[in-house]
Amino acid sequence: MIPKQLTDTISGILPEIEALRHELHQHPEIRFEEHWTSERISRFLKEANIPFTRGHARGTGICALIHGEKEGPEVALRADMDALEIQEETTLPYASILPGRMHACGHDGHLAILCGVAKTLLHLRNHIQGTVKLLFQPAEEQAGGGRLMVEEGLLNGVSAVFALHGWPNLPAGKAAAKSGCLMAGADFFKIEIHGRGGHGADPANAIDPILAAAHIITALQSLVAREIDPWDAAVITVAHIEAGATSNIIPDHARMEGTCRALTPETRLRLIQAIERVAANTALAFRAHAEFTLGTDGYPPLYNHPEMSALAREAILETFGNDGVWELNRPCMTSEDFAFYLERTPGAYILLGTGGPHPLHTPHFDFNDAVMPHAIELMCRIAFRALQLPQI
Ligand code: NI
């Protein structure tokens, strides 16, 4: 089923793919600003004679196609493109040249892997029955580029979709493709508390929004404990609070921002409604008034399709051997906009063990090059298997 030349082909292109990864690492661009990145990937595809369209998802997204020798279904693989607003602190020769910007989530690795997959599949196109669509997606980090790619219809006609993320918590040489819920849905909220300012020595003639804010934060932390089933999971975090300017004046307003996470659409909705209720009524108890705003940038929980997870597991075993599958027994409370793809099309999201001492989103992180050939092999094997699934 899988051509024997697969690993040889990958070995042949690896130096180029590693160099590309380092180049991308040097040029980290944040959400919807991935212009250099988009140009570089386009040049790679053009030089490889791979047809593609660009300008997707507000400008920087790319969709490339590998047409097999024979007709068949269409399956898609996706890589995210964006970096983070972090000052890199590595001393790598290819460290970020842009101040305050860094590929600290390894999306440079994901991009290079998908480019490696493109070139490998092109080499093996006489073994391909159908089309493999390669989606280079901007703005994964809190900006929902994935939602835009799906809304643009890039999954139309696609029978299965897959993506991976490098995961330093798992050892290199292993990968996880947990069936069902893999990641939480995430929402972002703001609460503005309106009080009435006054002299710090005369609180009776003021309405203190800071006191109301303090009670709201404390009350919010009771929600998960008292309103969510203990066998379900949820998180509420108030991550930003702002009020007042000096030590003897009660301000008019206080504001806070936070995030909540849930594993099912029902719990997600219940949590949002409860936060709004607790904020409004706690503020009222202290004569203040709270205004709750829910961000439009929330992500749904990410659900791996059971059949597609099983397919990915087979491919993991083929790539990494018999102990290559990492059994995850519970979902992560992080979120991922690949959830939008999986709402539309059956597929699976794979956590690829990269090992390493530094967690994601930290200034010393770097993607582990050693896993790249295996990751390319894994995604190629997934594509071959997905093209052979019986079509519904
Ligand atoms: Ni990421």
Side-chain angles (χ1 to χ4, degrees):
M1 166 191 156
I2 306 293
K4 286 193 187 62
Q5 311 95 298
L6 179 59
T7 46
D8 289 349
T9 308
I10 295 169
S11 307
I13 60 159
L14 203 56
E16 181 193 2
I17 296 300
E18 272 191 21
L20 175 67
R21 208 279 288 176
H22 297 170
E23 233 186 290
L24 291 164
H25 189 89
Q26 252 182 328
H27 296 86
E29 296 169 303
I30 61 164
R31 65 193 84 86
F32 298 119
E33 293 177 8
E34 306 91 341
H35 299 289
W36 186 94
T37 309
S38 185
E39 189 58 40
R40 183 67 190 87
I41 302 290
S42 298
R43 179 151 62 87
F44 175 89
L45 294 168
K46 213 175 287 172
E47 285 169 5
N49 275 324
I50 295 168
F52 65 95
T53 55
R54 53 191 297 198
H56 300 290
R58 286 204 226 156
T60 51
I62 295 173
C63 171
L65 295 172
I66 309 289
H67 295 291
E69 210 94 295
K70 298 187 202 107
E71 291 284 301
E74 189 166 303
V75 301
L77 307 174
R78 168 276 210 172
D80 38 14
M81 304 169 80
D82 53 329
L84 289 155
E85 287 147 304
I86 291 179
Q87 179 64 45
E88 180 158 353
E89 287 176 24
T90 72
T91 51
L92 295 165
Y94 52 85
S96 167
I97 57 166
L98 303 173
R101 300 281 188 270
M102 179 186 175
H103 266 301
C105 200
H107 298 186
D108 51 335
H110 307 166
L111 288 169
I113 289 164
L114 200 59
C115 286
V117 169
K119 230 167 177 174
T120 306
L121 292 180
L122 189 73
H123 260 270
L124 303 174
R125 59 187 294 274
N126 54 337
H127 298 272
I128 297 175
Q129 205 166 344
T131 300
V132 182
K133 187 181 251 189
L134 307 170
L135 298 170
F136 297 87
Q137 175 219 302
E140 187 281 320
E141 302 281 356
Q142 274 194 27
R147 184 168 49 81
L148 298 179
M149 298 285 276
V150 174
E151 283 173 3
E152 277 181 34
L154 288 167
L155 289 180
N156 293 352
V158 169
S159 57
V161 64
F162 298 87
L164 60 73
H165 203 297
W167 215 246
N169 304 354
L170 303 186
K174 294 196 186 280
K178 181 186 173 300
S179 178
C181 185
L182 176 67
M183 287 199 182
D187 286 283
F188 304 91
F189 61 84
K190 288 185 181 156
I191 300 170
E192 175 101 25
I193 300 135
H194 304 277
R196 193 175 68 234
H199 197 294
D202 188 19
N205 280 314
I207 297 173
D208 184 357
I210 295 180
L211 180 70
H215 278 275
I216 289 171
I217 293 169
T218 307
L220 288 181
Q221 290 311 326
S222 304
L223 284 176
V224 173
R226 301 289 88 180
E227 297 195 26
I228 303 298
D229 187 305
W231 294 105
D232 197 355
V235 173
I236 300 175
T237 293
V238 175
H240 177 206
I241 174 159
E242 208 180 299
T246 186
S247 57
N248 62 350
I249 299 170
I250 295 169
D252 281 324
H253 305 286
R255 44 190 84 77
M256 61 179 93
E257 288 186 279
T259 179
C260 56
R261 311 282 164 128
L263 299 179
T264 66
E266 297 75 29
T267 305
R268 185 184 177 200
L269 185 65
R270 190 184 309 165
L271 214 54
I272 291 167
Q273 289 170 342
I275 293 169
E276 182 167 15
R277 187 193 77 232
V278 163
N281 290 295
T282 309
L284 276 181
F286 294 92
R287 296 178 296 139
H289 168 72
E291 213 177 293
F292 172 87
T293 316
L294 183 68
T296 53
D297 49 356
Y299 292 175
L302 184 146
Y303 281 90
N304 276 342
H305 193 280
E307 195 187 337
M308 299 301 166
S309 297
L311 179 152
R313 284 170 68 99
E314 290 301 316
I316 291 170
L317 289 172
E318 274 181 331
T319 305
F320 293 107
N322 279 341
D323 53 359
V325 174
W326 187 272
E327 299 293 351
L328 276 183
N329 52 12
R330 58 187 172 87
C332 318
M333 298 312 285
T334 48
S335 63
E336 161 62 59
D337 74 354
F338 193 65
F340 290 110
Y341 295 74
L342 295 178
E343 279 190 333
R344 166 76 174 72
T345 301
Y349 190 66
I350 295 133
L351 302 182
L352 172 79
T354 56
H358 302 295
L360 298 172
H361 292 215
T362 59
H364 290 282
F365 176 81
D366 186 33
F367 192 86
N368 181 359
D369 281 337
V371 302
M372 220 134 60
H374 310 291
I376 295 170
E377 182 183 338
L378 174 64
M379 291 312 259
C380 289
R381 289 187 185 278
I382 286 174
F384 277 110
R385 283 180 172 270
L387 286 172
Q388 289 182 346
L389 285 175
Q391 296 303 302
I392 305 151

